[in-house]
Amino acid sequence: MTASNEPSSRLRALPSVTAILNTTIAAELVQRFGRMASTEAVRETIDQAREAMKAGAAAPDAEGLARQASVRLDERDRSGLRPLFNLTGTVLHTNLGRAVLAESAIEAATSAMRDAVALEFDLATGKRGERDDHVRTLLCELTGAQDATIVNNNAAAVLLCLNTLAQDRETIVSRGELIEIGGAFRMPDIMARAGTKMVEVGTTNRTHAKDYRAALGAQTAVILKVHTSNYRILGFTAEVGADELASIATEARVPLLNDLGSGTLIDLSRFGMQKEPTVGDAVAQGAGLITFSGDKLLGGPQAGFIVGDSELIAQVNRNPMKRALRVDKIRLAAIEATLKLYRDPDRLVDHLPTLRALARSRNEIGIQANRLRPLVAKSLGPSFTVETCECESQIGSGALPLDTLASAGLMIRAENGGGALDRLATALRGLRRPVIGRIADGGLTLDLRCLADEQEFVTVVSELNADALAG
């Protein structure tokens, strides 16, 4: 046999597509993924093996190729939304889905997915109902508002309110409150899309009551107050409180729209956090409408709540845009279940994962770090050192931007430097349940504030390949 014929002769040793599909492993793949997808995966696997053999690799057998096809199909089928460990130190991490839902909310959403529900059907009268009714009474009870409605997020809530009340008219807002939230999403852009003319008053750091009064005119439709949730100006500053703004708005016979951003239904200072105005406080201060989020400090699914004056809420609900921004039965069920938990504020920490994570003490987390340190060190091998550390957690998603929480975690450093930490971070992201930390100050920090399933974390980390991490 000549040298030129040798490669083609070796390639003939590759099993055929039919031979691979006849294996027990492939038969299971067909049951799981279907014949078409399984056959395509087998063909791709053969092509890959052929290229490897041209480079000198040995010919794999049919069972081996079937296993490779299985891995290929599993990877393809794996959801990008799979659960992960948020060890970034940011509790409400926008990129990681913000709030983790309470078990009661999960059960309610699952039930709504499984069966038909009375979403817009009044069981008492047998006539058409309103989907907002499922949460309206709860929202009014918890906030003291006259009425309430709901849309799919807080930006939508602000957009809808401004479009309803101030389209083709003016909205007065302080320059210091023209915020930009995540993804370069700016309040002036929302106002422009709502069709209102923005009238800026004051300066970046100081705005006074006289500035609002001077801007009032025949075209004024709304005074807007925006919670500067993702930044804070310190030093020589002044702002007009919501209660004084409500008085100015009442005198001018225009509504005050108070956008609280994250919003909270309870006083967070009882859990060691900075005191923030609650939604109930904003209602009592006299705003016509208040908007706030469901998936941040409230600890529920993504939603935008609008509470306040019943006549203004009725106008908002008549806006044709409301239908485009409404929530579905699954999210509505989860929201209702979450709000019900607030009827028992003394046991919220026991039932609401977000609040439970925020309320954990540094001492409790430090004890957990001490337990985990030797287990993680064993999984990483001698190429890394693992030490317990003190760190500061952030609440996240624009909530209390300067308020950090004393926490603890694991600081991982590479013995040989180089790209070892980057390889480790990549490997942690590639685990069947990814582990997400943060690299800073020459180490990889795993803040344990949000770690609830400790045993699963240990199991997942033990699947790391220490030899591969060593480079």
Side-chain angles (χ1 to χ4, degrees):
M1 181 180 298
T2 64
S4 60
N5 291 330
E6 185 176 353
S8 58
S9 175
R10 292 179 66 249
L11 292 176
R12 283 196 291 271
L14 268 172
S16 66
V17 172
T18 301
I20 298 169
L21 289 173
N22 285 335
T23 63
T24 302
I25 296 172
E28 294 173 355
L29 293 181
V30 171
Q31 287 295 317
R32 288 176 58 198
F33 302 106
R35 178 166 292 278
M36 183 179 297
S38 299
T39 301
E40 180 62 24
V42 166
R43 288 197 176 106
E44 291 173 358
T45 302
I46 291 173
D47 290 342
Q48 187 178 43
R50 183 179 292 111
E51 293 304 313
M53 289 177 66
K54 288 178 181 178
D61 59 17
E63 292 284 340
L65 288 169
R67 280 192 291 271
Q68 292 178 37
S70 177
V71 170
R72 187 182 296 271
L73 285 168
D74 283 336
E75 286 290 329
R76 192 174 295 167
D77 193 56
R78 181 183 292 179
S79 172
L81 287 172
R82 64 187 185 275
L84 53 76
F85 291 104
N86 173 16
L87 306 186
T88 63
T90 301
V91 178
L92 295 168
H93 200 304
T94 299
N95 297 342
L96 303 182
R98 293 182 180 165
V100 175
L101 300 192
E103 284 301 319
S104 60
I106 296 169
E107 291 168 5
T110 301
S111 178
M113 285 188 280
R114 186 173 289 121
D115 295 304
V117 297
L119 178 63
E120 292 183 353
F121 184 79
D122 189 323
L123 293 170
T125 64
K127 298 180 180 179
R128 184 187 178 99
E130 293 291 335
R131 66 179 63 199
D132 287 1
D133 287 345
H134 297 286
V135 296
R136 177 181 285 113
T137 300
L138 273 166
L139 285 167
C140 292
E141 173 191 330
L142 295 169
T143 66
Q146 292 179 7
D147 204 354
T149 191
I150 182 174
V151 289
N152 60 7
N153 63 34
N154 190 54
V158 176
L159 175 73
L160 182 62
C161 289
L162 289 174
N163 180 260
T164 301
L165 304 178
Q167 186 177 23
D168 298 325
R169 298 182 67 195
E170 295 177 353
T171 296
I172 301 173
V173 61
S174 168
R175 285 188 174 89
E177 296 175 1
L178 293 176
I179 63 171
E180 176 181 306
I181 58 179
F185 203 63
R186 296 177 171 182
M187 182 57 69
D189 296 336
I190 296 174
M191 296 175 72
R193 289 294 181 181
T196 186
K197 180 182 178 181
M198 178 175 64
V199 177
E200 304 173 45
V201 297
T203 62
T204 301
N205 59 319
R206 292 177 68 82
T207 303
H208 306 279
K210 64 181 180 181
D211 297 319
Y212 288 95
R213 288 193 171 95
L216 290 167
Q219 288 300 305
T220 302
V222 169
I223 296 176
L224 173 63
K225 183 168 183 58
V226 182
H227 189 290
T228 54
S229 55
N230 58 359
Y231 81 100
R232 190 162 296 161
I233 300 174
L234 301 177
F236 188 56
T237 65
E239 68 171 309
V240 183
D243 51 351
E244 187 174 1
L245 273 183
S247 296
I248 294 172
T250 300
E251 292 169 9
R253 297 185 179 181
V254 297
L256 169 65
L257 171 58
N258 190 353
D259 172 25
L260 293 180
S262 293
T264 178
L265 297 177
I266 57 171
D267 181 2
L268 297 174
S269 63
R270 66 159 74 176
F271 304 108
M273 287 174 275
Q274 179 179 308
K275 182 176 176 59
E276 280 280 294
T278 66
V279 180
D281 292 337
V283 171
Q285 287 165 345
L289 292 176
I290 299 104
T291 63
F292 59 103
S293 294
D295 57 337
K296 297 178 183 177
L297 289 174
L298 195 134
Q302 180 176 292
F305 299 111
I306 308 170
V307 301
D309 179 83
S310 56
E311 291 185 8
L312 296 178
I313 293 289
Q315 291 182 49
V316 168
N317 283 329
R318 287 194 296 269
N319 190 322
M321 287 177 60
K322 173 65 161 48
R323 182 178 179 86
L325 302 174
R326 68 184 182 178
V327 298
D328 69 349
K329 65 172 185 174
I330 302 167
R331 203 185 312 178
L332 199 57
I335 291 166
E336 180 185 27
T338 302
L339 290 173
K340 284 180 178 178
L341 295 175
Y342 281 87
R343 285 175 162 168
D344 186 6
D346 293 334
R347 292 194 292 177
L348 263 177
V349 171
D350 297 330
H351 301 296
L352 205 60
T354 294
L355 195 55
R356 186 161 59 245
L358 292 173
R360 293 186 73 192
S361 69
R362 171 178 275 175
N363 183 59
E364 176 192 346
I365 305 170
I367 292 171
Q368 183 181 43
N370 285 324
R371 283 197 305 269
L372 291 174
R373 189 202 65 76
L375 301 175
V376 172
K378 180 180 178 182
S379 296
L380 297 184
S383 298
F384 297 90
T385 61
V386 182
E387 300 295 337
T388 59
C389 67
E390 294 185 347
C391 49
E392 298 292 328
S393 301
Q394 292 181 318
I395 295 172
S397 286
L400 307 176
L402 297 183
D403 202 20
T404 58
L405 306 170
S407 188
L410 301 175
M411 172 64 80
I412 304 171
R413 299 188 188 277
E415 287 288 287
N416 299 321
L421 277 180
D422 290 332
R423 287 197 300 273
L424 174 59
T426 300
L428 289 170
R429 293 195 304 271
L431 292 170
R432 59 179 174 82
R433 182 167 178 177
V435 176
I436 314 297
R438 65 175 186 268
I439 294 179
D441 301 323
L444 173 62
T445 301
L446 303 180
D447 186 322
L448 302 180
R449 174 169 294 280
C450 294
L451 181 58
D453 193 343
E454 189 174 314
Q455 185 55 55
E456 174 67 0
F457 170 73
V458 171
T459 301
V460 167
V461 172
S462 70
E463 297 169 5
L464 286 167
N465 186 330
D467 292 335
L469 291 175

